[in-house]
Amino acid sequence: MTVMDHTAHHTTTGHHPAPHEDHGHHGDAGPGASWGTAVRATLHCLTGCAVGEILGMVIGTALMWGNVATMVLAIALAFLFGYSFTLFAVVRAGLDLRSAVKVALAADTVSIAVMELVDNGIIALVPGAMEAHLSEGLFWSSLLGGFAVAFLITTPVNKWMIGRGKGHAVAHAHH
């Protein structure tokens, strides 16, 4: 997942109503959210999730923690990084911290939860994946394969949510 470069939307540091007129590519609050919008939102979410998930898996595996402790750390870091990417974007756009936290929670909770459920479910179901070492292809292929499947499943969820003015549509209303 890639971090969305929100600087392309605004050429000034102030928050002015005029730049919001051309946000049609982010999706409307109606059911017509595009697949492109959903893909961008999912990639934005996946970037934070992947950073946290990989960091958690690497730390837990390197410290030889058990499967449950490693997954708990990976999931917690996935949520932390997933929320922080949105949080920083909306704070940078001028929202105060309290409002930005509310926006990040509203924008990303369902997307991150679906992504983590799918990704960790795949890792747990691949025989030997949780016992694999960092130097083994099985560790990385199950982790990256889980991200790919999570992306494919989460994108339609995000499309549905954005089409109803929820999920990432909430964040885009604030930048």
Side-chain angles (χ1 to χ4, degrees), residues 110-128:
V110 172
S111 184
I112 295 171
V114 170
M115 202 163 288
E116 286 304 297
L117 179 67
V118 172
D119 180 47
N120 284 285
I122 288 171
I123 293 167
L125 292 174
V126 171

Side-chain angles (χ1 to χ4, degrees), residues 6-164:
H6 297 291
T7 58
H9 301 300
H10 306 287
T11 56
T12 63
T13 58
H15 187 71
H16 303 286
H20 290 279
E21 294 170 7
D22 191 31
H23 269 192
H25 67 280
H26 289 304
D28 301 318
S34 72
W35 281 106
T37 299
V39 165
R40 284 188 296 277
T42 306
L43 287 173
H44 181 260
C45 186
L46 182 61
T47 300
C49 288
V51 169
E53 180 94 15
I54 290 170
L55 186 59
M57 290 290 189
V58 167
I59 290 170
T61 302
L63 295 175
M64 293 186 268
W65 288 0
N67 292 348
V68 173
T70 299
M71 278 193 149
V72 167
L73 177 63
I75 292 168
L77 291 176
F79 272 92
L80 178 70
F81 279 89
Y83 287 140
S84 68
F85 281 22
T86 297
L87 183 69
F88 292 138
V90 294
V91 165
R92 192 173 57 235
L95 225 54
D96 65 277
L97 186 59
R98 172 182 247 159
S99 298
V101 168
K102 290 178 183 178
V103 168
L105 291 173
D108 293 333
T109 299
V110 172
S111 184
I112 295 171
V114 170
M115 202 163 288
E116 286 304 297
L117 179 67
V118 172
D119 180 47
N120 284 285
I122 288 171
I123 293 167
L125 292 174
V126 171
M130 287 301 296
E131 291 77 27
H133 297 282
L134 297 175
S135 61
E136 294 179 48
L138 180 59
F139 175 88
W140 294 104
S141 64
S142 62
L143 187 61
L144 297 176
F147 290 147
V149 174
F151 174 80
L152 293 174
I153 291 174
T154 306
T155 299
V157 172
N158 282 332
K159 182 182 186 310
W160 181 83
M161 288 177 33
I162 294 165
R164 280 144 189 81

